Amino acid sequence: MSQQLINAITEMQEEEAVALAQQMLDEGASPSAVLDACKQAMDVIGQRFEKGECFIPELILAGEMLSQVAKIVKPHIQQEAAEKKLGKVVVGTVAGDIHDIAKDIVVFMLDINGFEVTDLGVDVPVAKFVEAVKATGAKIVGLSGFLTLAYDPMKETTAAVKALDPEVKVMVGGGQIDEQIREYTGADAYGKDAMAAVAIAKGWA
Ligand code: B12
């Protein structure tokens, strides 16, 4: 049934995808099997997007399907996750930037992998990151950004959270971000995708 779920997502059959995810869980499939199918489907959609075979509306719909499936799956993994919280992470798309599809995937993956995530949303001012780190005591901050204009807010946010608490580790990611930009921002790590975000955070937890 995993393959059916992958197909439903990649074919943008929203209702069918949600129903199949529910059916898989009802029939005893593990939450990770359902999420694994979602990951595979997102990979297919990402590749299609890169090749120009699908467009922004499909990306947005795929993001919506992912969050709907996540809602169904979460109660099944919450108990397990609650028992082994790995740490707190504050995540947001930096000031001036409203791209959130990728950030939401990062939040989702961190969440289901056992992190307590505070999602600040998009266009997040530096001060809001600082407040959230102060309020939660998080030692990990994830900054997402897709615009060239995001580099400076990333740099300012990194400096501000580290000024508050030098132990805070910062990771950055998003379409235009690479190792060179990471260096410019002063962040500790760059991750190319949500799985990298999880691996980096686990390394710091
Ligand atoms: C979708 C999209 C939009 C949507 C955003 C919808 C949404 N709700 O997010 C809309 C249409 C609203 C939009 C608006 C704009 N966009 Co736009 N957009 C894109 C597009 C096509 C795809 C981005 C995306 O979501 N990809 C899908 C994700 C899932 O793929 P991914 O990057 O592989 O995701 C992984 C990584 O990013 C990583 N990751 C992400 N964040 C983080 C964080 C951490 C900590 C880590 C470790 C990893 C990580 O993990 C993700 C999941 O695995 C890109 C082009 C592109 N190819 O990137 C342009 C692009 C980013 N947009 C661009 C522009 C210019 C704009 C606008 C300014 C256009 C305009 N004139 O209005 C506005 C920006 C407004 C603003 N203030 O932000 C430019 C940026 C150019 C630049 N150098 O600055 C791009 C590159 C298009 C282009 N080629 O010109 N956009």
Side-chain angles (χ1 to χ4, degrees):
M1 199 179 296
S2 287
Q3 191 55 48
Q4 276 173 277
L5 177 57
I6 297 171
N7 294 346
I9 297 175
T10 57
E11 285 160 19
M12 304 292 152
Q13 304 294 325
E14 188 170 7
E15 278 178 26
E16 196 185 333
V18 174
L20 279 166
Q22 186 65 62
Q23 198 182 333
M24 279 177 78
L25 292 167
D26 290 346
E27 289 175 8
S30 71
S32 58
V34 176
L35 294 170
D36 204 50
C38 291
K39 261 186 259 173
Q40 288 185 49
M42 291 307 282
D43 284 347
V44 172
I45 293 166
Q47 284 158 17
R48 284 187 191 162
F49 182 77
E50 272 170 32
K51 289 189 211 148
E53 292 168 3
C54 80
F55 303 96
I56 292 169
E58 282 92 342
L59 283 182
I60 294 173
L61 181 56
E64 274 171 21
M65 283 192 277
L66 190 72
S67 67
Q68 293 220 41
V69 173
K71 263 191 220 149
I72 301 175
V73 171
K74 258 192 186 170
H76 293 258
I77 51 174
Q78 221 135 41
Q79 202 183 348
E80 193 190 345
E83 280 162 14
K84 50 164 195 159
K85 278 289 175 213
L86 295 173
K88 294 177 180 173
V89 189
V90 170
V91 178
T93 301
V94 296
D97 195 324
I98 60 156
H99 292 85
D100 66 358
I101 297 172
K103 186 263 301 161
D104 288 349
I105 298 172
V106 170
V107 167
F108 175 71
M109 291 305 291
L110 286 168
D111 187 4
I112 62 164
N113 278 282
F115 288 90
E116 196 178 323
V117 188
T118 303
D119 179 1
L120 299 179
V122 297
D123 190 14
V124 181
V126 175
K128 203 167 162 191
F129 277 105
V130 173
E131 269 168 39
V133 169
K134 218 187 268 179
T136 61
K139 296 289 177 203
I140 303 173
V141 173
L143 305 179
S144 186
F146 274 76
L147 303 174
T148 312
L149 286 173
Y151 304 165
D152 283 325
M154 277 185 173
K155 188 176 183 168
E156 288 157 22
T157 308
T158 302
V161 294
K162 282 179 175 288
L164 173 74
D165 179 352
E167 273 181 30
V168 169
K169 296 273 194 187
V170 180
M171 57 178 167
V172 290
Q176 316 286 308
I177 312 301
D178 58 16
E179 192 49 40
Q180 204 183 336
I181 306 303
R182 181 211 56 83
E183 209 178 322
Y184 174 76
T185 62
D188 301 284
Y190 152 71
K192 80 168 178 28
D193 56 27
M195 283 319 294
V198 171
I200 293 165
K202 280 189 174 167
W204 291 338

